[in-house]
Amino acid sequence: RGPAGSDTASVAGMEELLSRSVPPLAPYETKEKAPPPAERLSAEFVRYYRALEAGPPRAELLTRLARDFGVDHGRVAEFSAKVLQAREQQRELGALLQAEDRLRYYLNPQYRGLFQHLGRLEGGLRFLVELRGDLVEGLATKAVDGPHVKEMNGVLKNMLSEWFSTGFLNLERVTWQSPCEVLQKISDSEAVHPVRNWVDMKRRVGSYRRCYFFSHCAIPGEPLIVLHVALTSDISSSIQAIVKEVPPLETEDTDKITTAIFYSISLTQQGLQGVELGTYLIKRVVKELQKELPQIKAFSTLSPIPGFTKWLVGLLSSQTKEPERNELFTESEWQEISEITGDSTTETLKKLLNNNEWVRSEKLVKVLHSPFMRLCAWYLYGEKHRGYALNPVANFHLQNGSVMWRINWMADTSPRGIAASCGMMVNYRYFLEDTASNSAAYLGTKQIKASEQVLSLVSQFQQNSKL
C-alpha cells in the first residue's frame, strides 16, 4: 500500500480508538448510575496518544476529539426551549430548576467524560497536563485551530484549574541538598534569567537566596511553578547583582536581611498555562518568609519588561512614514541623537535598537536615558489591552495587588535584557496590608497604583512625547 493507503488506515484507527475510549453521555435520568468505562480503555487512549508523533498526527487526533465528541447541539436547543417554557408558564420553582439542571447536563461536551476518567488513572493527571501542553502549543502555531479546539482547550483548562487548586498543592523549598533531578528541572525551567552552570545554580539556592516550588499530590516532587527570591537589605535595582557569578557567601547574616526580592517566577509545564498558580505561590512564599524571617519589612519584585523594545521599534516605524514628525523626543534630545547616529531620520536608531548596538555608545546611552525612562513608564502605565496593562508581567503583578514602584535604568545588561526592554526592569512592590484593596481596584475600575517616580515619568511623557 502507498502512503495514501496507510493514511486512510491511520484515520480509521483513530476514529475507532476515539469511539471506543470516549464514553457516551448517559441519558440524564441514569447519569448517576452510568457505569464508568473500563479503566483499560482510558489507559489504551494514553498509550495510543503517546505513541503518536508530536506535531500533525497528534494535532489530527485532538482536532477529531474536539470536533466529533463535543456538545450535542440538538439536545441543548431542545432543553433551552424547555427552560424558556417553564419560565413562561410560570411553573413552580422545582420544575424550572429541574429543566435548568437538565440543560446544564447536556451542555457538557462528551470528551469531558474522557478527561474525567483519564484524571482518575494513575499518572493520568500528568498525562492531561502533557495533552493540554500540546493543545496550547498547537493553538499558538495554528497546527490545531477552529472554535471546537479552542472550546476544548478552555474546558480542559477549567478542569485542570479545579484539580490544581491550592488544597492539592504542596510548597517545597529547594536547597543544594535537594535531589539532583529536582535541581536539574529547576535549572532547565528557568525562563527569565537562564542558569549558566552548576556553580550558578548552587548560588541561586544558597545563602541570601530562597527557591520554592509547588508540586501536586498526584505528581509528587515534580516542580510545576518555581519562584526565586533574593534576601537583601534594600529594593534591588539590578539583576546582575543578584545572578552574577560570585562565590556563594558561606553564612547568612539575618541582621542584614530586611527585604525579599522575587526575581523570577517560571511555569515549568506549558499545559498549566492560564491555571492560577503564580498568585498563590507568591502568597504562600510571603507567609513562609514571614515565619522564617519576621524582620523582613519590604516585599518586592525585580521584573523584566518583555515587549518594550518591540513596542518602541513599532512607534519609531510609524514615525518613519512622516520623517518631519518627531513625537517621541524633545527637539534637543532628537538633535543630540541625530548627531551621534549621523542620521536625522529614525532608521539608524531603529537598527541600533534591533541589533543591541546602541549600548556600545556611552554617549547614546546617556542621551537615551531620560526619553527611554518616560517612554517605558508610559508603556507600563498607559498602554492598555481591554483596559488593563498591555504588558503581561505588569498585568499579573497588578492583579495580585502590587504597586508599580520603580523603573530601573540599565538593570539587566545581558543581551537578552537589552533586546527585550532596552536593559530596563521594574519593581512591583507588595504592601501586604493593601494588596487586597489594590487588586480589587485594578480588577474593578482598572486603576493602576503607582509610586511618585512612575507617575512623574508618566507626566514627563505626557509633556514631551505626543502619541
Side-chain angles (χ1 to χ4, degrees):
R1 263 189 332 195
S6 55
D7 278 0
T8 320
S10 71
V11 165
M14 206 175 262
E15 284 176 348
E16 192 196 340
L17 168 94
L18 287 171
S19 54
R20 266 207 320 274
S21 15
V22 184
L25 198 63
Y28 177 79
E29 287 66 26
T30 64
K31 64 183 171 127
E32 304 301 333
K33 302 170 186 67
E39 200 172 280
R40 67 183 172 77
L41 290 178
S42 305
E44 186 192 356
F45 179 86
V46 174
R47 273 197 305 277
Y48 182 92
Y49 185 86
R50 282 196 169 138
L52 289 175
E53 275 179 53
R58 285 185 180 183
E60 174 69 21
L61 180 71
L62 292 171
T63 304
R64 284 174 180 277
L65 179 60
R67 188 190 63 209
D68 302 340
F69 297 89
V71 164
D72 180 337
H73 300 300
R75 280 278 171 78
V76 169
E78 181 190 332
F79 290 107
S80 302
K82 290 195 169 156
V83 169
L84 284 172
Q85 207 179 344
R87 283 200 65 186
E88 279 159 8
Q89 295 170 355
Q90 295 180 333
R91 292 164 64 190
E92 75 272 15
L93 186 60
L96 175 63
L97 291 175
Q98 172 86 37
E100 286 174 347
D101 190 54
R102 236 171 232 266
L103 171 60
R104 194 178 303 119
Y105 178 70
Y106 286 111
L107 278 167
N108 276 315
Q110 204 182 323
Y111 51 67
R112 194 190 154 94
L114 170 67
F115 295 156
Q116 266 166 334
H117 294 305
L118 290 170
R120 294 190 191 118
L121 279 184
E122 190 171 342
L125 209 49
R126 182 190 289 263
F127 170 74
L128 283 171
V129 172
E130 271 173 46
L131 182 130
R132 170 120 197 288
D134 290 343
L135 260 180
V136 168
E137 190 163 327
L139 284 165
T141 60
K142 297 276 192 284
V144 290
D145 207 8
H148 291 100
V149 179
K150 287 184 179 129
E151 170 78 2
M152 185 167 81
N153 179 46
V155 167
L156 186 50
K157 183 189 98 168
N158 291 341
M159 293 176 83
L160 290 171
S161 293
E162 286 181 20
W163 282 325
F164 284 84
S165 66
T166 45
F168 302 120
L169 299 173
N170 305 313
L171 182 70
E172 304 194 31
R173 181 176 162 195
V174 186
T175 66
W176 193 237
Q177 277 62 52
S178 296
C180 200
E181 56 270 29
V182 169
L183 286 164
Q184 186 66 57
K185 277 177 183 155
I186 301 281
S187 169
D188 292 344
S189 69
E190 176 48 50
V192 192
H193 307 289
V195 176
R196 285 180 296 270
N197 49 35
W198 282 107
V199 177
D200 189 8
M201 189 65 214
K202 188 173 187 178
R203 170 85 181 117
R204 293 192 199 196
V205 295
S207 49
Y208 297 104
R209 298 289 176 270
R210 295 291 181 273
C211 177
Y212 299 93
F213 68 84
F214 267 153
S215 65
H216 187 279
C217 53
I219 317 174
E222 175 80 42
L224 305 173
I225 184 167
V226 183
L227 180 66
H228 287 272
V229 188
L231 304 174
T232 62
S233 55
D234 55 9
I235 294 180
S236 308
S237 59
S238 157
I239 191 65
Q240 268 68 43
I242 292 176
V243 298
K244 68 184 175 192
E245 293 192 49
V246 290
L249 299 159
E250 288 319 302
T251 49
E252 214 170 67
D253 178 353
T254 47
D255 294 340
K256 287 185 182 157
I257 298 170
T258 59
T259 305
I261 302 288
F262 307 124
Y263 67 91
S264 172
I265 186 162
S266 296
L267 193 61
T268 67
Q269 313 286 330
Q270 193 172 16
L272 293 174
Q273 233 180 66
V275 173
E276 193 57 87
L277 295 174
T279 304
Y280 298 125
L281 180 57
I282 288 175
K283 284 180 179 164
R284 284 282 295 279
V285 167
V286 165
K287 280 196 180 128
E288 202 62 26
L289 290 171
Q290 282 179 313
K291 263 196 310 215
E292 191 202 344
L293 301 160
Q295 77 275 20
I296 290 183
K297 292 289 171 273
F299 292 92
S300 171
T301 74
L302 182 59
S303 298
I305 310 171
F308 171 68
T309 308
K310 196 174 163 195
W311 172 80
L312 183 55
V313 169
L315 283 188
L316 289 169
S317 295
S318 61
Q319 307 257 304
T320 18
K321 297 185 180 69
E322 298 171 52
E324 294 317 302
R325 275 178 52 202
N326 151 47
E327 301 194 334
L328 303 183
F329 306 100
T330 64
E331 286 304 315
S332 62
E333 284 166 353
W334 187 241
Q335 216 169 338
E336 280 188 79
I337 295 166
S338 308
E339 276 169 25
I340 300 167
T341 60
D343 182 357
S344 61
T345 73
T346 54
E347 278 310 312
T348 306
L349 185 57
K350 257 170 57 187
K351 276 201 195 84
L352 291 170
L353 285 175
N354 279 327
N355 62 19
N356 284 9
E357 284 297 313
W358 65 281
V359 283
R360 292 175 186 275
S361 157
E362 268 181 56
K363 281 183 181 169
L364 204 49
V365 171
K366 202 168 160 217
V367 177
L368 293 174
H369 180 172
S370 178
F372 278 15
M373 285 284 281
R374 65 174 187 259
L375 282 158
C376 186
W378 179 256
Y379 168 70
L380 289 170
Y381 184 88
E383 287 291 317
K384 300 285 197 279
H385 171 64
R386 298 182 180 153
Y388 297 106
L390 170 71
N391 182 270
V393 180
N395 189 45
F396 171 75
H397 289 294
L398 292 167
Q399 280 184 4
N400 291 345
S402 70
V403 173
M404 198 177 277
W405 182 250
R406 188 177 66 204
I407 297 169
N408 303 294
W409 181 245
M410 287 297 144
D412 182 358
T413 51
S414 69
R416 198 177 167 145
I418 300 292
S421 60
C422 298
M424 285 180 279
M425 295 187 82
V426 55
N427 303 112
Y428 297 101
R429 190 161 169 191
Y430 284 83
F431 293 94
L432 304 181
E433 61 284 2
D434 300 333
T435 50
S437 59
N438 289 350
S439 172
Y442 179 67
L443 291 169
T445 59
K446 301 174 180 171
Q447 268 176 302
I448 293 180
K449 267 284 173 59
S451 68
E452 286 300 310
Q453 185 239 26
V454 174
L455 294 174
S456 143
L457 285 167
V458 167
S459 76
Q460 285 172 40
F461 167 84
Q462 287 165 327
Q463 286 155 25
N464 297 314
S465 308
K466 303 171 206 57
L467 283 189

PDB file of all heavy atoms in Angstrom, residues 219-249:
ATOM      1  N   ILE A 219       1.324  14.273  41.599  1.00  0.00           N
ATOM      2  CA  ILE A 219       2.589  14.254  40.847  1.00  0.00           C
ATOM      3  C   ILE A 219       3.695  14.707  41.809  1.00  0.00           C
ATOM      4  O   ILE A 219       4.297  15.760  41.645  1.00  0.00           O
ATOM      5  CB  ILE A 219       2.535  15.221  39.625  1.00  0.00           C
ATOM      6  CG1 ILE A 219       1.199  15.123  38.887  1.00  0.00           C
ATOM      7  CG2 ILE A 219       3.686  14.980  38.659  1.00  0.00           C
ATOM      8  CD1 ILE A 219       1.012  16.148  37.770  1.00  0.00           C
ATOM      9  N   PRO A 220       3.957  13.914  42.869  1.00  0.00           N
ATOM     10  CA  PRO A 220       4.842  14.391  43.936  1.00  0.00           C
ATOM     11  C   PRO A 220       6.261  14.677  43.425  1.00  0.00           C
ATOM     12  O   PRO A 220       6.752  14.012  42.524  1.00  0.00           O
ATOM     13  CB  PRO A 220       4.844  13.239  44.944  1.00  0.00           C
ATOM     14  CG  PRO A 220       4.305  12.061  44.219  1.00  0.00           C
ATOM     15  CD  PRO A 220       3.446  12.566  43.106  1.00  0.00           C
ATOM     16  N   GLY A 221       6.869  15.716  44.032  1.00  0.00           N
ATOM     17  CA  GLY A 221       8.276  16.020  43.719  1.00  0.00           C
ATOM     18  C   GLY A 221       8.515  16.696  42.381  1.00  0.00           C
ATOM     19  O   GLY A 221       9.643  17.042  42.064  1.00  0.00           O
ATOM     20  N   GLU A 222       7.454  16.884  41.593  1.00  0.00           N
ATOM     21  CA  GLU A 222       7.617  17.477  40.253  1.00  0.00           C
ATOM     22  C   GLU A 222       7.337  18.981  40.345  1.00  0.00           C
ATOM     23  O   GLU A 222       6.222  19.381  40.651  1.00  0.00           O
ATOM     24  CB  GLU A 222       6.621  16.814  39.300  1.00  0.00           C
ATOM     25  CG  GLU A 222       6.571  17.399  37.910  1.00  0.00           C
ATOM     26  CD  GLU A 222       7.693  16.900  37.011  1.00  0.00           C
ATOM     27  OE1 GLU A 222       8.003  15.703  37.051  1.00  0.00           O
ATOM     28  OE2 GLU A 222       8.244  17.731  36.283  1.00  0.00           O
ATOM     29  N   PRO A 223       8.342  19.846  40.090  1.00  0.00           N
ATOM     30  CA  PRO A 223       8.069  21.283  40.169  1.00  0.00           C
ATOM     31  C   PRO A 223       7.090  21.719  39.066  1.00  0.00           C
ATOM     32  O   PRO A 223       7.305  21.419  37.895  1.00  0.00           O
ATOM     33  CB  PRO A 223       9.448  21.930  39.935  1.00  0.00           C
ATOM     34  CG  PRO A 223      10.441  20.834  40.102  1.00  0.00           C
ATOM     35  CD  PRO A 223       9.739  19.563  39.749  1.00  0.00           C
ATOM     36  N   LEU A 224       6.019  22.411  39.451  1.00  0.00           N
ATOM     37  CA  LEU A 224       5.035  22.893  38.465  1.00  0.00           C
ATOM     38  C   LEU A 224       5.265  24.363  38.163  1.00  0.00           C
ATOM     39  O   LEU A 224       5.135  24.803  37.034  1.00  0.00           O
ATOM     40  CB  LEU A 224       3.612  22.717  39.010  1.00  0.00           C
ATOM     41  CG  LEU A 224       3.238  21.305  39.463  1.00  0.00           C
ATOM     42  CD1 LEU A 224       1.877  21.316  40.142  1.00  0.00           C
ATOM     43  CD2 LEU A 224       3.228  20.347  38.275  1.00  0.00           C
ATOM     44  N   ILE A 225       5.605  25.117  39.212  1.00  0.00           N
ATOM     45  CA  ILE A 225       5.906  26.546  39.045  1.00  0.00           C
ATOM     46  C   ILE A 225       6.937  26.891  40.113  1.00  0.00           C
ATOM     47  O   ILE A 225       6.848  26.405  41.239  1.00  0.00           O
ATOM     48  CB  ILE A 225       4.614  27.401  39.166  1.00  0.00           C
ATOM     49  CG1 ILE A 225       4.935  28.867  38.901  1.00  0.00           C
ATOM     50  CG2 ILE A 225       3.905  27.207  40.488  1.00  0.00           C
ATOM     51  CD1 ILE A 225       3.707  29.745  38.678  1.00  0.00           C
ATOM     52  N   VAL A 226       7.931  27.703  39.729  1.00  0.00           N
ATOM     53  CA  VAL A 226       9.091  27.925  40.589  1.00  0.00           C
ATOM     54  C   VAL A 226       9.252  29.415  40.854  1.00  0.00           C
ATOM     55  O   VAL A 226       9.106  30.232  39.937  1.00  0.00           O
ATOM     56  CB  VAL A 226      10.379  27.409  39.879  1.00  0.00           C
ATOM     57  CG1 VAL A 226      11.590  27.569  40.782  1.00  0.00           C
ATOM     58  CG2 VAL A 226      10.213  25.956  39.443  1.00  0.00           C
ATOM     59  N   LEU A 227       9.547  29.766  42.103  1.00  0.00           N
ATOM     60  CA  LEU A 227       9.777  31.177  42.458  1.00  0.00           C
ATOM     61  C   LEU A 227      11.157  31.321  43.097  1.00  0.00           C
ATOM     62  O   LEU A 227      11.493  30.590  44.025  1.00  0.00           O
ATOM     63  CB  LEU A 227       8.698  31.647  43.447  1.00  0.00           C
ATOM     64  CG  LEU A 227       8.782  33.101  43.926  1.00  0.00           C
ATOM     65  CD1 LEU A 227       8.540  34.085  42.786  1.00  0.00           C
ATOM     66  CD2 LEU A 227       7.781  33.370  45.040  1.00  0.00           C
ATOM     67  N   HIS A 228      11.959  32.254  42.565  1.00  0.00           N
ATOM     68  CA  HIS A 228      13.282  32.541  43.132  1.00  0.00           C
ATOM     69  C   HIS A 228      13.227  33.851  43.900  1.00  0.00           C
ATOM     70  O   HIS A 228      12.679  34.842  43.408  1.00  0.00           O
ATOM     71  CB  HIS A 228      14.321  32.686  42.008  1.00  0.00           C
ATOM     72  CG  HIS A 228      14.682  31.380  41.364  1.00  0.00           C
ATOM     73  ND1 HIS A 228      15.685  30.573  41.844  1.00  0.00           N
ATOM     74  CD2 HIS A 228      14.196  30.753  40.269  1.00  0.00           C
ATOM     75  CE1 HIS A 228      15.796  29.500  41.062  1.00  0.00           C
ATOM     76  NE2 HIS A 228      14.891  29.586  40.107  1.00  0.00           N
ATOM     77  N   VAL A 229      13.850  33.858  45.091  1.00  0.00           N
ATOM     78  CA  VAL A 229      13.837  35.040  45.951  1.00  0.00           C
ATOM     79  C   VAL A 229      15.260  35.394  46.358  1.00  0.00           C
ATOM     80  O   VAL A 229      16.056  34.504  46.669  1.00  0.00           O
ATOM     81  CB  VAL A 229      13.014  34.763  47.243  1.00  0.00           C
ATOM     82  CG1 VAL A 229      12.823  36.033  48.059  1.00  0.00           C
ATOM     83  CG2 VAL A 229      11.667  34.134  46.914  1.00  0.00           C
ATOM     84  N   ALA A 230      15.575  36.686  46.349  1.00  0.00           N
ATOM     85  CA  ALA A 230      16.858  37.154  46.888  1.00  0.00           C
ATOM     86  C   ALA A 230      16.553  37.898  48.187  1.00  0.00           C
ATOM     87  O   ALA A 230      15.599  38.673  48.254  1.00  0.00           O
ATOM     88  CB  ALA A 230      17.534  38.098  45.894  1.00  0.00           C
ATOM     89  N   LEU A 231      17.348  37.631  49.231  1.00  0.00           N
ATOM     90  CA  LEU A 231      17.159  38.305  50.520  1.00  0.00           C
ATOM     91  C   LEU A 231      18.205  39.410  50.625  1.00  0.00           C
ATOM     92  O   LEU A 231      19.406  39.138  50.588  1.00  0.00           O
ATOM     93  CB  LEU A 231      17.308  37.292  51.658  1.00  0.00           C
ATOM     94  CG  LEU A 231      16.358  36.088  51.548  1.00  0.00           C
ATOM     95  CD1 LEU A 231      16.667  35.060  52.612  1.00  0.00           C
ATOM     96  CD2 LEU A 231      14.896  36.522  51.635  1.00  0.00           C
ATOM     97  N   THR A 232      17.769  40.663  50.710  1.00  0.00           N
ATOM     98  CA  THR A 232      18.687  41.796  50.588  1.00  0.00           C
ATOM     99  C   THR A 232      18.421  42.822  51.683  1.00  0.00           C
ATOM    100  O   THR A 232      17.544  42.635  52.527  1.00  0.00           O
ATOM    101  CB  THR A 232      18.486  42.490  49.223  1.00  0.00           C
ATOM    102  OG1 THR A 232      17.136  42.983  49.175  1.00  0.00           O
ATOM    103  CG2 THR A 232      18.702  41.550  48.059  1.00  0.00           C
ATOM    104  N   SER A 233      19.193  43.918  51.624  1.00  0.00           N
ATOM    105  CA  SER A 233      18.977  44.979  52.617  1.00  0.00           C
ATOM    106  C   SER A 233      18.232  46.160  51.986  1.00  0.00           C
ATOM    107  O   SER A 233      17.936  47.129  52.659  1.00  0.00           O
ATOM    108  CB  SER A 233      20.315  45.441  53.172  1.00  0.00           C
ATOM    109  OG  SER A 233      21.145  45.817  52.088  1.00  0.00           O
ATOM    110  N   ASP A 234      17.992  46.106  50.661  1.00  0.00           N
ATOM    111  CA  ASP A 234      17.202  47.174  50.038  1.00  0.00           C
ATOM    112  C   ASP A 234      16.548  46.643  48.760  1.00  0.00           C
ATOM    113  O   ASP A 234      16.814  45.517  48.350  1.00  0.00           O
ATOM    114  CB  ASP A 234      18.075  48.398  49.711  1.00  0.00           C
ATOM    115  CG  ASP A 234      19.274  48.013  48.847  1.00  0.00           C
ATOM    116  OD1 ASP A 234      19.315  46.854  48.372  1.00  0.00           O
ATOM    117  OD2 ASP A 234      20.168  48.864  48.655  1.00  0.00           O
ATOM    118  N   ILE A 235      15.693  47.471  48.136  1.00  0.00           N
ATOM    119  CA  ILE A 235      14.984  47.019  46.932  1.00  0.00           C
ATOM    120  C   ILE A 235      15.952  47.068  45.745  1.00  0.00           C
ATOM    121  O   ILE A 235      16.401  48.143  45.352  1.00  0.00           O
ATOM    122  CB  ILE A 235      13.725  47.874  46.694  1.00  0.00           C
ATOM    123  CG1 ILE A 235      12.729  47.608  47.847  1.00  0.00           C
ATOM    124  CG2 ILE A 235      13.082  47.543  45.352  1.00  0.00           C
ATOM    125  CD1 ILE A 235      11.444  48.376  47.762  1.00  0.00           C
ATOM    126  N   SER A 236      16.279  45.911  45.208  1.00  0.00           N
ATOM    127  CA  SER A 236      17.322  45.807  44.171  1.00  0.00           C
ATOM    128  C   SER A 236      16.947  46.549  42.900  1.00  0.00           C
ATOM    129  O   SER A 236      15.788  46.549  42.494  1.00  0.00           O
ATOM    130  CB  SER A 236      17.551  44.337  43.803  1.00  0.00           C
ATOM    131  OG  SER A 236      17.771  43.591  44.970  1.00  0.00           O
ATOM    132  N   SER A 237      17.970  47.144  42.274  1.00  0.00           N
ATOM    133  CA  SER A 237      17.713  47.859  41.023  1.00  0.00           C
ATOM    134  C   SER A 237      18.507  47.250  39.869  1.00  0.00           C
ATOM    135  O   SER A 237      18.504  47.776  38.770  1.00  0.00           O
ATOM    136  CB  SER A 237      18.084  49.333  41.178  1.00  0.00           C
ATOM    137  OG  SER A 237      19.452  49.419  41.531  1.00  0.00           O
ATOM    138  N   SER A 238      19.192  46.115  40.122  1.00  0.00           N
ATOM    139  CA  SER A 238      19.952  45.476  39.045  1.00  0.00           C
ATOM    140  C   SER A 238      19.923  43.970  39.214  1.00  0.00           C
ATOM    141  O   SER A 238      20.186  43.460  40.308  1.00  0.00           O
ATOM    142  CB  SER A 238      21.399  45.967  39.068  1.00  0.00           C
ATOM    143  OG  SER A 238      22.231  45.017  38.423  1.00  0.00           O
ATOM    144  N   ILE A 239      19.604  43.281  38.145  1.00  0.00           N
ATOM    145  CA  ILE A 239      19.530  41.817  38.222  1.00  0.00           C
ATOM    146  C   ILE A 239      20.925  41.207  38.244  1.00  0.00           C
ATOM    147  O   ILE A 239      21.152  40.154  38.826  1.00  0.00           O
ATOM    148  CB  ILE A 239      18.677  41.215  37.063  1.00  0.00           C
ATOM    149  CG1 ILE A 239      18.382  39.733  37.316  1.00  0.00           C
ATOM    150  CG2 ILE A 239      19.357  41.375  35.713  1.00  0.00           C
ATOM    151  CD1 ILE A 239      17.515  39.445  38.504  1.00  0.00           C
ATOM    152  N   GLN A 240      21.894  41.880  37.618  1.00  0.00           N
ATOM    153  CA  GLN A 240      23.251  41.313  37.587  1.00  0.00           C
ATOM    154  C   GLN A 240      23.794  41.152  39.012  1.00  0.00           C
ATOM    155  O   GLN A 240      24.520  40.217  39.294  1.00  0.00           O
ATOM    156  CB  GLN A 240      24.197  42.173  36.730  1.00  0.00           C
ATOM    157  CG  GLN A 240      24.260  41.710  35.272  1.00  0.00           C
ATOM    158  CD  GLN A 240      22.956  41.924  34.492  1.00  0.00           C
ATOM    159  OE1 GLN A 240      22.316  42.964  34.608  1.00  0.00           O
ATOM    160  NE2 GLN A 240      22.553  40.940  33.709  1.00  0.00           N
ATOM    161  N   ALA A 241      23.402  42.060  39.908  1.00  0.00           N
ATOM    162  CA  ALA A 241      23.853  41.941  41.296  1.00  0.00           C
ATOM    163  C   ALA A 241      23.278  40.685  41.952  1.00  0.00           C
ATOM    164  O   ALA A 241      23.856  40.144  42.897  1.00  0.00           O
ATOM    165  CB  ALA A 241      23.420  43.171  42.076  1.00  0.00           C
ATOM    166  N   ILE A 242      22.149  40.203  41.427  1.00  0.00           N
ATOM    167  CA  ILE A 242      21.505  39.021  42.029  1.00  0.00           C
ATOM    168  C   ILE A 242      22.011  37.725  41.393  1.00  0.00           C
ATOM    169  O   ILE A 242      22.270  36.745  42.076  1.00  0.00           O
ATOM    170  CB  ILE A 242      19.964  39.136  41.900  1.00  0.00           C
ATOM    171  CG1 ILE A 242      19.467  40.286  42.790  1.00  0.00           C
ATOM    172  CG2 ILE A 242      19.280  37.832  42.288  1.00  0.00           C
ATOM    173  CD1 ILE A 242      17.979  40.559  42.676  1.00  0.00           C
ATOM    174  N   VAL A 243      22.168  37.726  40.057  1.00  0.00           N
ATOM    175  CA  VAL A 243      22.533  36.449  39.405  1.00  0.00           C
ATOM    176  C   VAL A 243      23.980  36.413  38.889  1.00  0.00           C
ATOM    177  O   VAL A 243      24.334  35.526  38.146  1.00  0.00           O
ATOM    178  CB  VAL A 243      21.557  36.084  38.245  1.00  0.00           C
ATOM    179  CG1 VAL A 243      20.154  35.890  38.761  1.00  0.00           C
ATOM    180  CG2 VAL A 243      21.577  37.141  37.152  1.00  0.00           C
ATOM    181  N   LYS A 244      24.805  37.392  39.304  1.00  0.00           N
ATOM    182  CA  LYS A 244      26.182  37.406  38.779  1.00  0.00           C
ATOM    183  C   LYS A 244      26.984  36.238  39.352  1.00  0.00           C
ATOM    184  O   LYS A 244      26.627  35.662  40.384  1.00  0.00           O
ATOM    185  CB  LYS A 244      26.856  38.732  39.099  1.00  0.00           C
ATOM    186  CG  LYS A 244      27.118  38.924  40.581  1.00  0.00           C
ATOM    187  CD  LYS A 244      27.706  40.290  40.871  1.00  0.00           C
ATOM    188  CE  LYS A 244      27.823  40.445  42.386  1.00  0.00           C
ATOM    189  NZ  LYS A 244      28.112  41.792  42.804  1.00  0.00           N
ATOM    190  N   GLU A 245      28.081  35.914  38.695  1.00  0.00           N
ATOM    191  CA  GLU A 245      28.904  34.800  39.182  1.00  0.00           C
ATOM    192  C   GLU A 245      29.800  35.286  40.317  1.00  0.00           C
ATOM    193  O   GLU A 245      30.777  35.965  40.104  1.00  0.00           O
ATOM    194  CB  GLU A 245      29.770  34.274  38.026  1.00  0.00           C
ATOM    195  CG  GLU A 245      28.925  33.615  36.956  1.00  0.00           C
ATOM    196  CD  GLU A 245      29.764  32.826  35.961  1.00  0.00           C
ATOM    197  OE1 GLU A 245      30.610  32.027  36.384  1.00  0.00           O
ATOM    198  OE2 GLU A 245      29.560  33.031  34.753  1.00  0.00           O
ATOM    199  N   VAL A 246      29.399  34.955  41.519  1.00  0.00           N
ATOM    200  CA  VAL A 246      30.273  35.246  42.664  1.00  0.00           C
ATOM    201  C   VAL A 246      30.305  33.997  43.528  1.00  0.00           C
ATOM    202  O   VAL A 246      29.357  33.215  43.518  1.00  0.00           O
ATOM    203  CB  VAL A 246      29.738  36.434  43.517  1.00  0.00           C
ATOM    204  CG1 VAL A 246      29.873  37.738  42.775  1.00  0.00           C
ATOM    205  CG2 VAL A 246      28.311  36.203  43.952  1.00  0.00           C
ATOM    206  N   PRO A 247      31.376  33.802  44.280  1.00  0.00           N
ATOM    207  CA  PRO A 247      31.389  32.613  45.150  1.00  0.00           C
ATOM    208  C   PRO A 247      30.261  32.733  46.178  1.00  0.00           C
ATOM    209  O   PRO A 247      30.001  33.827  46.689  1.00  0.00           O
ATOM    210  CB  PRO A 247      32.764  32.697  45.827  1.00  0.00           C
ATOM    211  CG  PRO A 247      33.226  34.097  45.635  1.00  0.00           C
ATOM    212  CD  PRO A 247      32.587  34.601  44.381  1.00  0.00           C
ATOM    213  N   PRO A 248      29.560  31.643  46.451  1.00  0.00           N
ATOM    214  CA  PRO A 248      28.458  31.724  47.415  1.00  0.00           C
ATOM    215  C   PRO A 248      28.986  32.203  48.773  1.00  0.00           C
ATOM    216  O   PRO A 248      30.033  31.753  49.215  1.00  0.00           O
ATOM    217  CB  PRO A 248      27.963  30.275  47.508  1.00  0.00           C
ATOM    218  CG  PRO A 248      28.501  29.581  46.314  1.00  0.00           C
ATOM    219  CD  PRO A 248      29.749  30.300  45.913  1.00  0.00           C
ATOM    220  N   LEU A 249      28.248  33.133  49.377  1.00  0.00           N
ATOM    221  CA  LEU A 249      28.646  33.592  50.712  1.00  0.00           C
ATOM    222  C   LEU A 249      28.314  32.475  51.688  1.00  0.00           C
ATOM    223  O   LEU A 249      27.210  31.954  51.669  1.00  0.00           O
ATOM    224  CB  LEU A 249      27.863  34.863  51.057  1.00  0.00           C
ATOM    225  CG  LEU A 249      28.121  36.018  50.089  1.00  0.00           C
ATOM    226  CD1 LEU A 249      26.996  37.030  50.149  1.00  0.00           C
ATOM    227  CD2 LEU A 249      29.453  36.669  50.410  1.00  0.00           C
TER     228      LEU A 249
END
